[in-house]
Amino acid sequence: MNIQNKFATLATDNAPGQEVRQNAAGIQALLRGDVLPGRPVDFSHGDVDAHEPTPGAFEVFAQGVARGGRQAYTEYRGDLEIRETVAARLAGFTGAPIDARDGMIVTPGTQGALFLAVAATVARGDKVAIVQPDYFANRKLVEFFEGEMIPVRLDYETVDYETAGEDRAGLDLDQLEAAFRGGARVFLFSNPNNPAGVIYSPAEIARIAALAGQYGATVIVDQLYSRLRYSGVTYTHLRAQDVDPQNIITIMGPSKTESLSGYRLGVAFGSPAIIARMEKLQAIVSLRAAGYCQAVLRTWFAEPEGWMDERIRRHQAIRDDLLAVLRGIDGGFARAPQAGSYLFPRLPALAVSHADFVRILRLQAGTVVTPGTEFSPHHGDCVRLNFSQDHRAAVAAVERMAALVERYRA
């Protein structure tokens, strides 16, 4: 793979905030009707103005600044006292002990943790099992490090937990085992799934743990949205199962649920050997997570009583109202996410390509969504929406999207 091809796999046109770099070339001739009025909404990322950060976050950041060099220049894997505090809280949350000194690293966002984890486990020619659909960076990182992807299907559309009581995410466990049998020694997935918002059942997690142990595979699990769970949903932490602690890395952070994305904080914890590799790479990529910002982790899992319950309640209300609009689109499909702030609806057949429709939405409805092809080549007729938005504006934006679906219906 030459350098041009290597970076061609890292297309950023549809990444959050990048829509401003897109142009309308080739779209004007496809447009029908007038622009729909309404407040623009960017569903490619959450609105931290609509959902304020954890109380006290800025004050703790300011205290970090006041500490000066002691806070600015931590060891590369992050301030030890902060790691010890966070490790104790995360151990209680995930149900297994965490080695704060050797088994944890603070990173520039969970994106930074994911980059380091993949770089520390995947070399040229290594086979990696990845879920489709799943977080868009998973595929791109495996390709960038010249690994060989073995896709594993997540058939989330056929599982109906609302009416049938099934709480499976829909992972094809036979495909996963076949991937391991075929030589995959790394399995990379998000739980809750990004973009579908589904949670892996206890049985699915137990099977993943058993297969990883049987085949000696390393598992990287992104649990970024594991706190933002809706009523009646059971969450099972992989690291608390019967899995070799030397072969697992868990990634979490306060950027989404807690609206602290601007501080760029993530943590990875698990295998000390893998964490050590991640630290060596972080030392030459970014040195450390921003020192002053690390102080904000003191507020994580220490929010005022009732704060998280209210955050979940507000998101569930937005989710339910958006689902009502999406499910009114004839020929479409939308499964209710069990956690997180993403919807991943499937759109009906249109008179334009779904890729063009995404651009039309921005131009004619002031509505930015992420195309489904970012998450799987098999989901070109899907779009992802981050509904952590102003409630009223989000509903109005999805209503405009539904109106344009009818305008451009095949």
Side-chain angles (χ1 to χ4, degrees), residues 54-70:
T54 304
F58 179 76
E59 290 75 12
V60 175
F61 168 77
Q63 292 170 15
V65 175
R67 291 186 69 197
R70 289 177 298 159

Side-chain angles (χ1 to χ4, degrees), residues 31-208:
L31 298 182
R32 301 176 179 180
D34 298 326
V35 171
L36 300 178
R39 173 180 164 182
V41 174
D42 188 346
F43 287 110
S44 71
H45 57 80
D47 184 352
V48 296
D49 296 322
H51 302 280
E52 295 182 354
T54 304
F58 179 76
E59 290 75 12
V60 175
F61 168 77
Q63 292 170 15
V65 175
R67 291 186 69 197
R70 289 177 298 159
Q71 184 67 60
Y73 298 105
T74 71
E75 57 182 295
Y76 290 150
R77 63 178 61 197
D79 180 272
L80 178 57
E81 185 274 327
I82 290 173
R83 297 202 319 272
E84 290 174 337
T85 298
V86 171
R89 295 171 183 173
L90 287 175
F93 179 68
T94 63
I98 297 172
D99 179 353
R101 178 174 291 277
D102 296 322
M104 172 177 280
I105 185 170
V106 181
T107 61
T110 53
Q111 188 83 11
L114 183 62
F115 176 88
L116 297 175
V118 176
T121 55
V122 178
R124 178 181 297 174
D126 287 348
K127 294 181 178 180
V128 182
I130 68 166
V131 175
Q132 291 184 342
D134 210 332
Y135 185 51
F136 68 87
N138 294 358
R139 168 183 56 82
K140 293 182 179 183
L141 286 173
V142 173
E143 290 179 338
F144 184 76
F145 291 112
E146 301 184 33
E148 178 185 338
M149 288 186 300
I150 303 180
V152 180
R153 180 178 58 189
L154 182 71
D155 192 11
Y156 65 93
E157 291 190 7
T158 64
V159 181
D160 186 356
Y161 76 92
E162 291 178 292
T163 59
E166 295 183 277
D167 64 354
R168 294 182 296 111
L171 185 70
D172 191 325
L173 291 164
D174 290 336
Q175 277 193 354
L176 178 59
E177 181 166 16
F180 287 139
R181 262 199 323 267
R185 289 297 175 264
V186 176
F187 177 44
L188 175 60
F189 75 110
S190 61
N191 183 29
N193 173 265
N194 175 358
V198 295
I199 288 177
Y200 287 77
S201 68
E204 287 172 312
I205 292 296
R207 184 62 175 151
I208 290 169

Side-chain angles (χ1 to χ4, degrees), residues 161-162 230-231 312-327 336-337 343 387 391 395:
Y161 76 92
E162 291 178 292
Y230 302 119
S231 58
I312 293 171
R313 186 199 65 77
R314 291 176 62 188
H315 278 71
Q316 185 162 346
I318 300 170
R319 180 200 72 170
D320 292 346
D321 284 351
L322 296 187
L323 279 170
V325 177
L326 293 168
R327 288 174 172 173
L343 285 161
F387 59 84
H391 192 148
V395 173

